[in-house]
Amino acid sequence: MQMDLMDRLCQAVGRPQDSVALVTCGTLGVEVAIGLARNIARVRSGARRGDILTSTLSYHGMSALTLALAGNHARRPHPQDALGLGPAFPPPYPPTHGHEGRACDASCADEVAKAIDNRGAEQVAAVLIEPVNGTTGGAYVPPGGYLRRVSEICRERQVLVTHDEVLTGLWRTGTPLASHHWEGAEPDLCILSKGLGAGYTSVAAVLVSPEIAPLIRHQDAGPLPAMGTMAAHPLQAAACLGVLDELEAMDHEAFTARGERLGQSLRALTGLAPGEEVPVPPAHRPDPSAFL
């Protein structure tokens, strides 16, 4: 049953050749993805350290590690408890990355390149990013071409791209993965959770692309990250298979059309022209160094 779930899940999100790790919650999914990315990066490119770079408007879970890595202001630990970690680059959204006279665009990915180069590509295992911002900002959508450019920047430097789709995966944005809204945005690793369990069971899945999955079992790879005692439980798998049955039976074209109508209505309420930013005071645009 667990193997059936893994196969069905990969087919559902258009990544049929991926390898899958099933765990018990989104936070643990992120931690497992971090561990896998570090192992893969060290085998593939000889990375000396396993730095994980995130944005100043990111949220990736409630553990000590994930809270320290990310940029959720309300949940961040005290500086002395943050393990020396913190977010590394501003996201392409007005609250934290404003521009004079223009909105954010794909060139905002240059901030990711700068963060990697400042740290040293040999020190960075992965960039961890939410394709659509969730808990911290509230459904901010990146500009066209941004995620593709992030992928290009990372691959030029042999840095892995990890998408946190805990909130957005499995048709929650109208497509199987939120990254499907943009060409060329496919990640190396992808984390799914809420849409897979649908509230019936606590679950998360880490998908690893076939190009890098064999490196997990390389003789020079470190030990696999702990999955948890209840990971890949048969009752968990049964619930998730039922959720996939329901998701695949839905009229997704109708949902997409409804979403477009809702989006148009919401944009009209803002009174802003397409692409126009809400003005935000500079004090609300944190410097990544302020988190460290």
Side-chain angles (χ1 to χ4, degrees), residues 3 8 15 18 29-30 73 87 103-104 106 123 160 191 270 290:
M3 295 300 294
R8 286 273 309 277
R15 297 172 62 102
D18 276 17
V30 172
H73 296 260
C104 284
Q123 310 287 7
L160 297 170
I191 308 149
T270 66

Side-chain angles (χ1 to χ4, degrees), residues 19-36:
S19 297
V20 182
L22 292 174
V23 294
T24 52
C25 67
T27 295
L28 184 55
V30 172
E31 292 228 8
V32 166
I34 288 171
L36 292 175

Side-chain angles (χ1 to χ4, degrees), residues 10-268:
C10 290
Q11 295 288 342
V13 299
R15 297 172 62 102
Q17 302 302 316
D18 276 17
S19 297
V20 182
L22 292 174
V23 294
T24 52
C25 67
T27 295
L28 184 55
V30 172
E31 292 228 8
V32 166
I34 288 171
L36 292 175
R38 285 170 167 167
N39 281 353
I40 292 166
R42 288 186 172 117
V43 171
R44 184 179 71 164
S45 59
R48 293 201 294 269
R49 289 180 55 183
D51 289 1
I52 308 294
L53 306 188
T54 66
S55 87
T56 56
L57 202 67
S58 61
Y59 173 72
H60 299 294
M62 287 294 288
S63 69
L65 172 62
T66 56
L67 286 175
L69 274 173
N72 188 298
H73 296 260
R75 294 177 173 89
R76 273 193 63 79
H78 292 292
Q80 60 269 31
D81 300 329
L83 311 174
L85 302 172
F89 58 88
Y93 311 122
T96 57
H97 198 225
H99 305 275
E100 294 297 330
R102 69 175 180 88
C104 284
D105 56 31
S107 69
C108 294
D110 292 345
E111 298 283 3
V112 178
K114 187 188 304 182
I116 296 172
D117 294 341
N118 286 345
R119 195 75 60 97
E122 71 280 1
Q123 310 287 7
V124 180
V127 167
L128 174 61
I129 193 169
E130 299 164 284
V132 175
N133 173 263
T135 300
T136 302
Y140 288 120
V141 178
Y146 175 82
L147 290 176
R148 178 173 187 160
R149 183 61 189 138
V150 168
S151 292
E152 291 171 350
I153 286 167
C154 289
R155 285 165 188 151
E156 288 166 2
R157 293 160 173 79
Q158 287 201 300
V159 170
L160 297 170
V161 178
T162 302
H163 282 180
D164 181 344
E165 294 233 24
V166 167
L167 283 174
T168 57
L170 291 166
W171 289 280
R172 283 183 155 207
T173 68
T175 53
L177 297 175
S179 63
H180 289 170
H181 287 287
W182 303 277
E183 291 185 7
E186 298 81 8
D188 299 299
L189 298 96
C190 180
I191 308 149
L192 302 169
S193 181
K194 297 182 187 298
L196 179 58
Y200 294 101
T201 186
S202 180
V203 65
V206 181
L207 278 57
V208 185
S209 70
E211 293 79 14
I212 59 173
L215 300 179
I216 296 170
R217 296 178 288 273
H218 192 277
Q219 62 180 6
D220 295 330
L224 289 173
M227 304 294 179
T229 302
M230 301 302 289
H233 191 279
L235 183 60
Q236 180 190 72
C240 293
L241 286 168
V243 170
L244 287 177
D245 288 341
E246 292 297 317
L247 288 172
E248 291 169 357
M250 289 180 176
D251 186 347
H252 297 290
E253 290 186 4
F255 290 150
T256 299
R258 191 177 305 161
E260 290 174 352
R261 291 197 300 272
L262 176 61
Q264 291 171 359
S265 299
L266 290 173
R267 283 191 293 273

